[in-house]
Amino acid sequence: MTQKLDFYRCSVCGNIVQVFHAGAGELVCCEKPMEKLVPFTQDQEKQEKHVPIFTGFNEIQVGSDLHPMTEEHHIEFIQCISPDKKHIETRFLDKTEEPKMKLCGNFEHNCALEYCNIHGLWEGRN
């Protein structure tokens, strides 16, 4: 069973989907069940930072030292989620941009997610 705002990835084609309406069925892509992405919550890499950090009331950055943004290794998106999961903000990044997100909404937030094209989904909380 899926849960609201969970992410799933296809192991064949790389499609990533996010659930907006939870259901009992299995998510399938390329004729195979999709893999649920479980975010890492602490930085397990020694050289690079992946955990999203709230740097102020209205900004999130990826890593205490900013994550690199290259063609080969980059952050695809940053997302902020309210505790009640009623409000989300998502920013998709170009490979040339800094991995930062200014929040537009005026809602309480305590969870940030980011997706690295090599190291997957990461979560940070304030």
Side-chain angles (χ1 to χ4, degrees):
M1 177 175 209
T2 61
Q3 297 293 317
K4 184 177 180 179
L5 301 183
D6 281 350
F7 284 94
Y8 287 82
R9 184 176 186 279
C10 176
S11 62
V12 177
C13 72
N15 274 338
I16 296 175
V17 298
Q18 187 172 28
V19 175
F20 286 115
H21 182 89
E26 181 176 50
L27 296 178
V28 176
C29 186
C30 297
E31 301 181 9
K32 293 191 174 189
M34 295 185 83
E35 166 195 6
K36 180 180 175 184
L37 297 179
V38 178
F40 296 102
T41 57
Q42 59 183 342
D43 201 352
Q44 298 171 344
E45 298 291 321
K46 300 297 181 202
Q47 304 300 324
E48 297 172 316
K49 305 295 182 196
H50 289 93
V51 176
I53 298 168
F54 290 89
T55 59
F57 177 72
N58 65 345
E59 187 175 81
I60 298 167
Q61 76 176 38
V62 179
S64 54
D65 294 326
L66 287 180
H67 186 283
M69 295 293 281
T70 65
E71 183 70 31
E72 300 79 25
H73 186 191
H74 54 272
I75 302 304
E76 294 186 14
F77 66 83
I78 302 170
Q79 186 174 81
C80 182
I81 303 172
S82 68
D84 61 6
K85 294 187 177 185
K86 290 185 178 182
H87 301 278
I88 62 172
E89 286 188 44
T90 304
R91 178 163 187 245
F92 295 95
L93 301 167
D94 292 327
K95 297 170 186 100
T96 58
E97 296 180 279
E98 286 189 319
K100 294 182 177 182
M101 174 182 176
K102 291 238 186 242
L103 299 170
C104 300
N106 189 13
F107 61 87
E108 182 184 347
H109 49 272
N110 71 340
C111 177
L113 297 167
E114 66 88 350
Y115 187 81
C116 173
N117 71 312
I118 294 177
H119 300 103
L121 190 65
W122 292 78
E123 177 183 286
R125 294 187 175 266
N126 62 339

